[in-house]
Amino acid sequence: MFFERPKSGELAVLVHLQLHHHDESNDPREFEELALSAGADPLTLITGTRDSPDPRYYMGSGKLEELAEIVSSNNVELVIFNHSLSPSQERNLEKVLECRVLDRTGLILDIFAQRARTHEGKLQVELAQLEHMSTRLIRGWTHLERQKGGIGLRGPGETQLETDRRLLRARIKAIKARLEKVRKTREHGRRARLRNSVPTVSLVGYTNAGKSTLFNHLTNSDVYAKDQLFATLDPTMRRLELADVGLCVLADTVGFISNLPHRLVEAFRATLEEAANADLLLHVIDAADPERERNIAEVHSVLAEIGANEVPCIKVYNKIDLMENAIARVDRDDLGVPVAVWLSAQTGEGSNLLEQVLSERLATDLIDGTLCLTPMQASLRSKLYEQHAVISENFSENGGSEVHLRIPKPDLMRLLSQSNCNWAELRWAN
């Protein structure tokens, strides 16, 4: 956008180094899936071990020579590292390799840029990209880093690099202001749902755990769902009717990943607040993934970062159709409270168990009784039928009726208000 870098293409070499005594430990298998999701054509994966990263090139001189030979002999256009590189390391590597160098953060940002569809999603991705780019501007403007004198060369006293940084700061400020409006709009929506006692359930989980497939199955939607990392980027919300609860809102959110760039967490904070402010979280887990325990820990880490670790949560172990001898079931704690559901969103097996668990966890102050209605309360009777709260009804000779209800108390209070009725005026059968 503001600077020139070596051109990049799809033919790529992947680099993964195992670092001893270092916290950063990314899965090379997941790294290859990320590269494929971005549209890269991996030529080979170079692996190695080091005690610590080299400050200039991240990798040692021997591995660098090996990498340079592969790049030169195969006309490779892109080298992707499964690590976070400093701006100087990227610049030094590009000088030696004479091709585009991308680190893990840049790769994830590129995938997000491809997946963004809504205006909000595009703004969030652009914010993360600009903040990432702001530390890497200098690489393209070394020939303009000094001001020059002479006729036609005197200017406002600002170098090209300074100009670009100023433009970046202005654009970042503008995007943050627009995202703040999005955050306030979401907050108004949450307040409206709270006033109407409409509970919100958010799907969270590791990327490619099957959240969107489960979302589509529960809400009969057609949200984009595919077996790839970060298939879902833009947040989606749909109505969901539950027995004994009535209307609730189900939200599908972006998937998490190990070492998720902090800039992305910050940029998507407005979206992730849906999880932090939900009444209940459904933590969708790929039960067939051998790394599922590590993935669970990564999700818990991100939830803690966005302040959602205290929200009640149910674990949903998905993809049991890929496991041997696995059956749909509900796991409960010592008090009998459901804590986990095993199901397959692809086949639908066990989805009815999840709906039962949702009803059990969300239903509060459930009213189950027989209400005696007069002909003057026909409006209330009609609204009760609209809410599917009537189990049975018997009519009397005076035109009234006895209605067997099963409805959450907040929903009944809302219907009473809409029908200009008071709780004290209701008459219940013994």
Side-chain angles (χ1 to χ4, degrees):
M1 182 176 178
F2 296 100
F3 53 88
E4 294 295 329
R5 299 182 64 178
K7 293 182 179 180
S8 64
E10 295 183 350
L11 187 62
V13 172
L14 310 183
V15 179
H16 173 82
L17 301 180
Q18 185 67 40
L19 302 176
H20 298 305
H21 312 298
H22 200 272
D23 292 334
E24 189 180 85
S25 57
N26 299 318
D27 182 6
R29 179 176 57 88
E30 180 182 85
F31 175 44
E32 292 188 61
E33 292 179 5
L34 277 173
L36 291 171
S37 294
D41 181 16
L43 177 67
T44 184
L45 172 66
I46 294 180
T47 59
T49 57
R50 282 187 65 85
D51 290 333
S52 60
D54 180 81
R56 290 193 65 193
Y57 300 109
Y58 198 92
M59 61 197 322
S61 57
K63 281 292 178 183
L64 183 58
E65 291 178 5
E66 178 186 344
L67 176 59
E69 174 62 28
I70 294 175
V71 169
S72 176
S73 60
N74 293 278
N75 295 319
V76 172
E77 303 164 300
L78 178 65
V79 174
I80 309 175
F81 279 72
N82 193 22
H83 312 277
S84 296
L85 300 178
S86 68
S88 62
Q89 286 171 336
E90 280 192 22
R91 187 167 60 249
N92 294 336
L93 285 166
E94 287 184 351
K95 286 181 180 179
V96 173
L97 301 175
E98 297 181 348
C99 73
R100 181 85 149 80
V101 174
L102 199 64
D103 67 354
R104 181 183 175 87
T105 300
L107 177 63
I108 294 176
L109 284 172
D110 185 82
I111 296 174
F112 273 49
Q114 294 180 46
R115 300 283 191 271
R117 294 292 181 269
T118 65
H119 178 64
E120 177 193 349
K122 292 176 181 178
L123 283 177
Q124 291 168 324
V125 171
E126 184 181 356
L127 174 61
Q129 286 181 318
L130 291 178
E131 290 182 334
H132 183 66
M133 184 191 302
S134 63
T135 61
R136 288 157 168 79
L137 279 178
I138 195 170
R139 75 171 75 236
W141 290 121
T142 53
H143 60 296
L144 295 174
E145 61 187 358
R146 289 187 178 87
Q147 301 175 48
K148 296 180 180 181
I151 297 173
L153 295 176
R154 283 181 278 265
E158 191 174 41
T159 66
Q160 183 66 53
L161 180 60
E162 290 169 341
T163 301
D164 289 343
R165 282 177 174 163
R166 177 170 54 80
L167 292 174
L168 272 180
R169 286 194 298 269
R171 179 60 179 163
I172 288 173
K173 183 178 179 181
I175 292 176
K176 285 184 175 180
R178 294 166 78 175
L179 286 176
E180 181 63 19
K181 291 183 179 179
V182 172
R183 190 193 67 79
K184 290 181 179 179
T185 301
R186 288 185 179 280
E187 181 63 27
H188 289 319
R190 281 193 290 267
R191 288 177 181 173
R193 292 196 297 270
L194 186 61
R195 285 195 301 269
N196 294 325
S197 301
V198 178
T200 301
V201 181
S202 283
L203 295 172
V204 298
Y206 209 75
T207 181
N208 204 30
K211 296 184 295 300
S212 295
T213 304
L214 179 61
F215 181 87
N216 287 337
H217 187 82
L218 292 175
T219 62
N220 295 319
S221 302
D222 56 354
V223 170
Y224 179 73
K226 196 171 182 180
D227 185 17
Q228 60 181 200
L229 303 186
F230 298 118
T232 300
L233 181 59
D234 300 309
T236 308
M237 305 180 77
R238 293 289 188 275
R239 296 162 55 100
L240 178 63
E241 291 282 346
L242 294 173
D244 300 336
V245 176
L247 174 65
C248 75
V249 173
L250 186 64
D252 189 15
T253 60
V254 62
F256 304 149
I257 198 169
S258 61
N259 294 313
L260 185 68
H262 184 72
R263 287 189 180 92
L264 279 179
V265 177
E266 284 297 317
F268 281 78
R269 184 165 295 277
T271 301
L272 296 174
E273 280 181 354
E274 290 295 342
N277 292 280
D279 296 283
L280 181 66
L281 296 180
L282 293 183
H283 179 182
V284 184
I285 302 163
D286 184 351
D289 191 336
E291 297 289 333
R292 78 182 188 195
E293 294 302 323
R294 181 183 68 88
N295 297 347
I296 291 173
E298 292 290 346
V299 171
H300 287 167
S301 175
V302 177
L303 290 177
E305 188 172 350
I306 63 176
N309 52 328
E310 298 298 327
V311 179
C313 180
I314 296 175
K315 291 181 179 179
V316 179
Y317 289 93
N318 188 25
K319 303 185 182 182
I320 62 172
D321 53 307
L322 303 180
M323 304 172 64
E324 292 185 4
N325 303 323
I327 59 172
R329 69 177 191 272
V330 176
D331 294 341
R332 299 176 179 270
D333 61 15
D334 295 337
L335 299 177
V337 177
V339 294
V341 180
W342 295 72
L343 54 75
S344 170
Q346 188 68 38
T347 65
E349 182 184 3
S351 60
N352 60 322
L353 297 178
L354 178 59
E355 293 183 10
Q356 293 171 15
V357 167
L358 286 175
S359 298
E360 185 176 341
R361 290 291 297 265
L362 293 175
T364 56
D365 296 330
L366 184 67
I367 293 178
D368 190 345
T370 301
L371 179 62
C372 300
L373 296 177
T374 67
M376 299 298 294
Q377 295 172 317
S379 175
L380 175 59
R381 175 180 175 274
S382 174
K383 293 184 182 301
L384 289 171
Y385 270 98
E386 290 177 0
Q387 290 292 317
H388 306 288
V390 178
I391 305 299
S392 61
E393 182 178 16
N394 294 318
F395 292 94
S396 58
E397 295 180 355
N398 62 0
S401 63
E402 293 185 350
V403 180
H404 181 193
L405 299 179
R406 189 174 175 85
I407 184 174
K409 187 174 181 179
D411 288 353
L412 179 57
M413 298 302 290
R414 184 177 72 252
L415 297 183
L416 290 175
S417 177
Q418 295 173 356
S419 305
N420 297 319
C421 296
N422 295 321
W423 176 267
E425 298 175 355
L426 299 182
R427 189 165 58 88
W428 298 90
N430 295 328

